[in-house]
Amino acid sequence: EAQVTQNPRYLITVTGKKLTVTCSQNMNHEYMSWYRQDPGLGLRQIYYSMNVEVTDKGDVPEGYKVSRKEKRNFPLILESPSPNQTSLYFCASSGQGGNQPQHFGDGTRLSIL
Amino acid sequence: QKEVEQDPGPLSVPEGAIVSLNCTYSNSAFQYFMWYRQYSRKGPELLMYTYSSGNKEDGRFTAQVDKSSKYISLFIRDSQPSDSATYLCAMSVPQGGSEKLVFGKGTKLTVNP
């Protein structure tokens, strides 16, 4: 079954404690992206990756890092989380080229105290 | 002006009603127009995908795009309680060989039995 898998699904942690949210896809997609979803603001892109070792900033990259060492994995790293990063996070992937729909994971709900 | 405007609702209708969901946009560079459905505690799933102005039908769902007015719509016929979800319009611009999605804030729909 084609899917995007995120872990953990839920996490409560404290300010400043480094955390990583993993994302893995089994569709051999080149393009992967991270979004955060906040009430009243909708989904906003954090970072994206066009392929292995190729990443770039989205609209709200501050406070986040990513890496793309393997095609299937695209982890989101919060080096020093702060309460304003409390949000619902989604990873998505798609093939290259236009007309390639994005597939989303089921989300990771982060609470930073 | 936001790039994509979508009335957040909520929208509550009786079972069997015709539902109309709408978005307006300001960026003429948008190429593809999509509707995603998001159930509670799940990621967005692609419902409809259109490129050109006009209508596209899939079962009970019809997507309509009017590029001259920068307006897109989703119609749901014979709505069912299982259609209760948040509906997100999304529009794409080229990004790194793929497409970046810009989302509306979503409209929460409840279909009452």
Side-chain angles (χ1 to χ4, degrees), chain A residues 31 40 50 59 97 99 102, chain B residues 38 49 95-97 99-100 105:
Chain A
Y31 181 92
M50 296 164 282
D59 297 318
N99 201 24
Q102 290 194 21
Chain B
Q38 185 176 18
Y49 193 112
Q95 184 181 67
E99 301 286 323
K100 171 189 173 180
K105 293 178 183 178

Side-chain angles (χ1 to χ4, degrees), chain A residues 51-103:
Chain A
N51 216 320
V52 175
E53 302 291 4
V54 184
T55 63
D56 206 347
K57 297 176 180 178
D59 297 318
V60 287
E62 295 78 21
Y64 304 95
K65 284 176 56 177
V66 293
S67 70
R68 187 91 182 271
K69 293 184 170 56
E70 303 166 285
K71 196 173 187 179
R72 63 183 292 127
N73 296 323
F74 189 44
L76 180 70
I77 303 155
L78 285 71
E79 293 270 4
S80 183
S82 62
N84 65 10
Q85 294 177 299
T86 292
S87 187
L88 180 58
Y89 291 85
F90 289 101
C91 180
S93 74
S94 71
Q96 285 288 61
N99 201 24
Q100 298 291 328
Q102 290 194 21
H103 300 262

Side-chain angles (χ1 to χ4, degrees), chain A residues 40-56:
Chain A
L41 295 175
L43 280 154
R44 294 175 293 166
Q45 189 185 55
I46 303 171
Y47 266 95
Y48 67 96
S49 170
M50 296 164 282
N51 216 320
V52 175
E53 302 291 4
V54 184
T55 63
D56 206 347

Side-chain angles (χ1 to χ4, degrees), chain B residues 15 22 38 50 80 85 98 105:
Chain B
E15 183 174 354
N22 310 294
Q38 185 176 18
T50 56
Q80 303 295 309
S98 188
K105 293 178 183 178

Side-chain angles (χ1 to χ4, degrees), chain B residues 90-105:
Chain B
M91 303 172 193
S92 74
V93 291
Q95 184 181 67
S98 188
E99 301 286 323
K100 171 189 173 180
L101 297 184
V102 179
F103 286 88
K105 293 178 183 178

